[in-house]
Amino acid sequence: MRTKVMLVWLCGVLVAYWISPVSPVTEASTATQPTTTECPKETLDGYDWPSISAGTNTSHSGCPGVTLGTVYRFCRSDATWEVADYTRCVSPTLASLNTQTGNLDGSPSGYLHLAEDLQNASKPAKLVVSGDLLTAVTIMYALVEDSFLVTCNATSAVVMNFTEAVLISARQLLDNSYSSLWTETHQVSDVDAIFTFLEKLDSFYGDVLSCFSLVNITEYSLVTENLDVAIEVFQANTSEAFIFPSNSNSDANQATVPVAVFTEADTSGHTAACIVWYKSASSLLPSTDINARSAHQDGQINSDVVSVTLHPTQVQPFNEPITLRFSHHQAGNNPVCALLDVSLTSSSVWSDSECETVSTTSDVTTCNCHHATNFALLTTLNDDDTVLKVPLNAIMVTGVVISLLFLVATFVLLLYVNRSLESDWALVVKCFLLTYIIGQITFLSGINSTENQMICRFVGILLHYLYLSVFFWMLAQAVLLQLKIVHASATSATISHYCLLGWVTPLLVVASAAGLKHDQYGHDKYCWISIWNKVIYAFIGPAAFVILVTFVVTYSSVHGYFSIKKTDQKGAAEMGKLKHAFRAPMITLPLLMITWTLKAFAIELRSEALYAIFALTYIIQGMVIFVFYGVLDNQVQTLYRSKFGHNHKAVHDSSGRAWNDKVETNKTSPNNFRASSMTSFSSRASESFATNRNDSTASLSSSTARRLNFQKKTLVIPLKRPVPSPTPSQTQGTST
Ligand SMILES: *[C@@H]1O[C@H](CO)[C@@H](O)[C@H](O)[C@H]1NC(C)=O
Ligand SMILES: *[C@@H]1O[C@H](CO)[C@@H](O)[C@H](O)[C@H]1NC(C)=O
Ligand SMILES: *[C@@H]1O[C@H](CO)[C@@H](O)[C@H](O)[C@H]1NC(C)=O
Ligand SMILES: *[C@@H]1O[C@H](CO)[C@@H](O)[C@H](O)[C@H]1NC(C)=O
Ligand SMILES: *[C@@H]1O[C@H](CO)[C@@H](O)[C@H](O)[C@H]1NC(C)=O
């Protein structure tokens, strides 16, 4: 029998490997196919791109239109084409302007002329490729970094004209018509390009403010279609806040800088502030990578972006807040004002913990912020899809928690009942329950931990293992019933064999899947395998195999019993009791299948109806497990009857006695054993069995109760020989 167990286990491993598409066999065969390691030949925008292998570049020396340079194209490691890279193509005008940046010698007129040329060259539709945009941005950086504004040795007219030329260039570069160039730049060159651009402009505003207060320009404003700028140099002694736009409606954008932002010592006539509203920036910012920290993983920028600059720079956070009122672009939930924080990490982030929300309506949100930088309003969008973005919504959590409580109750019940005597069946069921409980707790606590990708992947792999292990423990139950009852081989398989099947086999499957495709675990929305990923078959495949085998084994066991029933009186009687053990996996397994299929689709499709059905099936599944593994368990029933039918000491006595009786009987003669079994199934016992709840208290003698317990014991601990087995020399030593 030991060999049989090993055989079943080996088959399980082999078939699980073979079924899984990430197994080394299939992996190797796909690797040899050229189509999956090379990007296919294709024609795009008039360029013929030849087939090249994954992870390499190819190029064309001709750039579009008047631009000069080289077009590159990158074949990603998954053998798909990146968009064509035009960042090395530059128009001659911009290329020559770019060389002129080397001539900037600190003279204001040099800066002014270059700024005016840039303004001319960056007019809408003048930039044709992303290389033009990058070059224009580079020229802009040369103009604004350490410009003559820092020393400010110039006339106010030059300062004014230069500032305006730079601002108009910026407004043009941020024009919506260039959004495709920004997108391409973010894709192929610099994911943070526009964040860097906003950051450089902020430092430029600081220089402008310091210079304006020196050359006595007291205020300035520029209103364009996508960029509104206002600068105010505070007059000494003023108490009026700087408000921009000052005459806007109550549901429109407005920023307010109170004089009190400046500390007492600074109010000397040289304090100034600049407010800039970027009306197009939110559509240019990389939408797929908002990089929001904390609560707004799924946050979307839902307002214009505003930049506030103070001169002199104040120690942040300052006490008196600046007030920002954001008009919502569209309906959204959970509005928070977030500031663009480029200092904390290498990539830019929206930090939503620095501002206080003062008031919010469906159209407008007002915040107080104690910093001066770029701000925007983040919200989660209001459509059905985003309400359910997080897979763990309330319905689902309720369902899972209730089913978890049932599992824990079953586990505790079995632990209590089996505390004096442990059968293999009870051990296997407890391992099954324990694995499932740990799996559910991992699911509840880990599925949403998407913030850290490593943790997220680990959770995904752990869930894969635990859930697969649950199925293998179901198989272990079926194998146990088959071996111990049908083949009456009580001693051949020890609990360690079942542990091998239930815990080690799924470990091998998951280890190979995770080793090969670890990047497919953990999703940006949840930490499980996407149903669209190939690695899901490493779950579905082995699970389906286990389900099949479990059904076959269980069916053959039941069938075996029915044939016994026809011929053997004793077998017929025991059949009724064995149904308990068979029933549990037979009913639980389809439920597990249904629940987990629903779960995969509910998580992926985020349908509220599916969530509700899923929660319901989970609760039903928990109840079914509680009833069939817990309440209907023979030892539980025995305990129940003895508690309410007799003094409960009889349980331990009788169960212990039953063992001993049996061991002795069996040792002496198998025929004796059968005879005593027959007696225990006498009609008297059967009747009291059926009606025990009513009359047992009064009528059952302790010996009857003992026999009753003995009967049940033989059910659960499969020591009895239902078939006139030709192996009389079995021993009972498996359970402890
Ligand atoms: C591909 O070309 C780009 C320039 O367009 C270069 O920066 C990158 O390193 C190249 N990558 C590979 C893998 O050759
Ligand atoms: C702007 O460009 C036009 C041609 O596109 C040119 O005629 C004009 O002189 C330029 N102005 C400046 C200030 O460079
Ligand atoms: C300011 O510029 C003028 C010429 O434009 C120059 O003569 C003078 O020395 C400069 N002053 C400073 C402080 O740089
Ligand atoms: C500044 O610009 C105005 C018109 O835009 C022009 O009349 C003036 O001459 C310019 N001043 C300088 C110093 O360039
Ligand atoms: C501040 O303003 C008050 C009147 O509002 C005036 O009496 C006082 O002299 C001013 N102080 C300075 C330093 O300008």
Side-chain angles (χ1 to χ4, degrees):
M1 283 308 133
R2 172 181 288 259
T3 49
K4 265 197 182 171
V5 177
M6 293 305 282
L7 214 64
V8 170
W9 177 75
L10 202 68
C11 283
V13 175
L14 286 178
V15 175
Y17 261 80
W18 178 74
I19 279 177
S20 153
V22 296
S23 69
V25 182
T26 40
E27 194 67 18
S29 66
T30 53
T32 56
Q33 287 174 3
T35 49
T36 59
T37 56
E38 281 190 7
C39 289
K41 190 165 153 23
E42 83 173 18
T43 304
L44 182 78
D45 299 336
Y47 290 93
D48 288 327
W49 297 104
S51 178
I52 59 165
S53 50
T56 60
N57 274 334
T58 181
S59 64
H60 269 287
S61 51
C63 275
V66 296
T67 60
L68 301 172
T70 310
V71 194
Y72 290 87
R73 193 122 190 247
F74 184 63
C75 178
R76 297 193 199 100
S77 53
D78 63 351
T80 55
W81 284 109
E82 181 66 83
V83 295
D85 176 0
Y86 295 107
T87 57
R88 312 289 175 89
C89 294
V90 187
S91 306
T93 328
L94 282 160
S96 94
L97 287 185
N98 198 18
T99 57
Q100 289 174 36
T101 58
N103 305 333
L104 291 174
D105 56 359
S107 89
S109 59
Y111 278 93
L112 178 58
H113 287 136
L114 189 56
E116 284 171 346
D117 288 343
L118 180 63
Q119 177 189 334
N120 209 6
S122 60
K123 283 194 161 74
K126 286 263 176 106
L127 310 181
V128 291
V129 291
S130 53
D132 281 347
L133 179 71
L134 278 179
T135 310
V137 165
T138 309
I139 298 166
M140 178 78 105
Y141 292 171
L143 286 171
V144 301
E145 281 175 339
D146 302 320
S147 72
F148 73 98
L149 294 179
V150 176
T151 51
C152 202
N153 184 9
T155 64
S156 64
V158 171
V159 171
M160 184 73 99
N161 286 12
F162 172 72
T163 304
E164 188 144 314
V166 171
L167 289 174
I168 289 173
S169 299
R171 163 243 155 320
Q172 289 169 172
L173 293 177
L174 293 172
D175 193 272
N176 268 325
S177 63
Y178 289 147
S179 77
S180 62
L181 302 187
W182 281 108
T183 306
E184 191 190 318
T185 304
H186 292 143
Q187 272 178 321
V188 302
S189 173
D190 177 5
V191 291
D192 272 342
I194 196 159
F195 292 113
T196 315
F197 187 69
L198 296 180
E199 191 71 5
K200 297 270 188 192
L201 285 177
D202 267 10
S203 75
F204 170 70
Y205 303 142
D207 294 343
V208 170
L209 289 179
S210 96
C211 194
F212 271 25
S213 50
L214 286 175
V215 297
N216 290 324
I217 302 172
T218 55
E219 54 182 18
Y220 172 83
S221 74
L222 174 75
V223 175
T224 69
E225 57 195 272
N226 65 351
L227 184 82
D228 292 350
V229 184
I231 291 173
E232 171 153 313
V233 177
F234 288 90
Q235 299 307 296
N237 218 356
T238 188
S239 59
E240 271 184 48
F242 172 34
I243 301 174
F244 181 70
S246 55
N247 57 351
S248 63
N249 300 328
S250 63
D251 59 354
N253 291 330
Q254 191 171 67
T256 304
V257 179
V259 182
V261 157
F262 300 102
T263 55
E264 206 72 34
D266 290 326
T267 49
S268 54
H270 294 295
T271 55
C274 173
I275 298 170
V276 183
W277 286 96
Y278 300 102
K279 290 180 277 190
S280 62
S282 61
S283 62
L284 302 176
L285 292 164
S287 58
T288 53
D289 188 20
I290 294 297
N291 286 333
R293 273 197 285 129
S294 69
H296 274 68
Q297 282 286 310
D298 292 314
Q300 304 276 323
I301 294 181
N302 196 12
S303 70
D304 295 343
V305 174
V306 65
S307 160
V308 177
T309 314
L310 303 177
H311 172 79
T313 313
Q314 301 297 301
V315 176
Q316 303 190 33
F318 28 82
N319 291 329
E320 193 70 20
I322 55 177
T323 304
L324 304 170
R325 194 173 69 207
F326 290 104
S327 171
H328 300 182
H329 283 173
Q330 53 190 306
N333 294 322
N334 313 318
V336 288
C337 300
L339 59 83
L340 183 61
D341 188 341
V342 292
S343 61
L344 288 174
T345 60
S346 54
S347 71
S348 307
V349 290
W350 289 100
S351 169
D352 63 7
S353 55
E354 318 283 334
C355 296
E356 308 130 26
T357 305
V358 176
S359 68
T360 182
T361 70
S362 57
D363 299 323
V364 66
T365 298
T366 306
C367 299
N368 282 341
C369 301
H370 302 261
H371 295 258
T373 177
N374 289 290
F375 301 92
L377 186 74
L378 301 187
T379 62
T380 49
L381 295 186
N382 219 359
D383 54 66
D384 285 350
D385 187 49
T386 48
V387 173
L388 292 168
K389 270 240 160 89
V390 177
L392 269 190
N393 73 352
I395 308 170
M396 200 141 153
V397 170
T398 314
V400 175
V401 166
I402 292 176
S403 99
L404 186 61
L405 290 180
F406 276 118
L407 293 180
V408 171
T410 316
F411 186 74
V412 170
L413 186 66
L414 291 182
L415 212 59
Y416 175 72
V417 166
N418 291 297
R419 65 197 185 282
S420 61
L421 186 69
E422 199 79 274
S423 69
D424 279 3
W425 170 254
L427 268 173
V428 166
V429 168
K430 273 186 271 181
C431 288
F432 160 72
L433 290 172
L434 189 66
T435 310
Y436 202 2
I437 288 169
I438 297 173
Q440 293 297 68
I441 291 172
T442 312
F443 174 78
L444 278 177
S445 57
I447 187 88
N448 278 350
S449 52
T450 48
E451 272 157 58
N452 185 323
Q453 205 187 22
M454 289 304 291
I455 293 177
C456 192
R457 270 187 196 159
F458 178 73
V459 168
I461 293 169
L462 198 63
L463 282 178
H464 185 184
Y465 169 68
L466 289 169
Y467 283 166
L468 206 53
S469 177
V470 168
F471 279 107
F472 274 92
W473 276 110
M474 298 290 306
L475 178 61
Q477 292 169 28
V479 169
L480 182 141
L481 289 173
Q482 170 82 8
L483 289 182
K484 292 213 159 182
I485 297 171
V486 177
H487 296 286
S489 55
T491 58
S492 61
T494 66
I495 189 67
S496 59
H497 289 108
Y498 297 113
C499 286
L500 211 60
L501 179 62
W503 279 329
V504 180
T505 316
L507 188 66
L508 296 178
V509 175
V510 174
S512 59
L516 289 165
K517 296 270 171 169
H518 66 91
D519 55 318
Q520 292 197 2
Y521 291 90
H523 201 264
D524 53 348
K525 300 285 176 233
Y526 53 87
C527 305
W528 172 230
I529 319 165
S530 166
I531 55 170
W532 313 119
N533 274 347
K534 277 191 199 148
V535 78
I536 191 74
Y537 294 109
F539 177 67
I540 293 174
F545 164 73
V546 167
I547 288 162
L548 195 72
V549 173
T550 308
F551 271 123
V552 168
V553 169
T554 314
Y555 174 78
S556 85
S557 306
V558 173
H559 183 75
Y561 262 94
F562 273 111
S563 20
I564 294 160
K565 188 178 183 177
K566 287 176 205 142
T567 57
D568 187 335
Q569 181 73 65
K570 177 181 73 72
E574 282 181 353
M575 176 61 203
K577 294 187 284 168
L578 278 161
K579 260 196 302 197
H580 297 315
F582 281 126
R583 254 181 341 206
M586 283 298 265
I587 291 178
T588 312
L589 197 59
L591 271 173
L592 281 183
M593 278 164 62
I594 293 168
T595 316
W596 285 353
T597 313
L598 273 176
K599 173 149 82 181
F601 281 94
I603 288 180
E604 192 71 37
L605 305 177
R606 303 205 179 102
S607 138
E608 191 138 23
L610 273 182
Y611 276 171
I613 298 171
F614 163 75
L616 197 68
T617 55
Y618 241 136
I619 295 171
I620 293 172
Q621 186 201 299
M623 281 164 62
V624 163
I625 288 180
F626 180 67
V627 170
F628 284 94
Y629 284 99
V631 175
L632 293 182
D633 181 87
N634 283 288
Q635 276 163 296
V636 175
Q637 294 268 301
T638 308
L639 181 74
Y640 174 82
R641 291 207 182 94
S642 70
K643 276 238 160 156
F644 296 94
H646 237 335
N647 71 69
H648 79 281
K649 231 189 149 199
V651 182
H652 311 296
D653 281 347
S654 61
S655 48
R657 188 86 57 96
W659 264 134
N660 298 333
D661 286 353
K662 226 171 174 206
V663 172
E664 282 161 25
T665 323
N666 218 19
K667 267 177 194 161
T668 48
S669 151
N671 287 336
N672 269 358
F673 165 68
R674 209 177 302 156
S676 77
S677 287
M678 292 292 273
T679 320
S680 75
F681 282 99
S682 69
S683 59
R684 185 166 57 98
S686 304
E687 269 162 34
S688 36
F689 222 98
T691 58
N692 67 79
R693 203 152 312 171
N694 297 328
D695 61 16
S696 61
T697 317
S699 67
L700 279 187
S701 71
S702 71
S703 70
T704 315
R706 205 169 288 166
R707 254 186 308 202
L708 223 47
N709 287 327
F710 169 74
Q711 287 179 284
K712 289 166 191 167
K713 201 81 243 171
T714 58
L715 250 195
V716 180
I717 304 162
L719 301 169
K720 62 230 157 343
R721 318 274 161 262
V723 192
S725 168
T727 55
S729 62
Q730 284 134 345
T731 55
Q732 332 283 328
T734 41
S735 306
T736 47

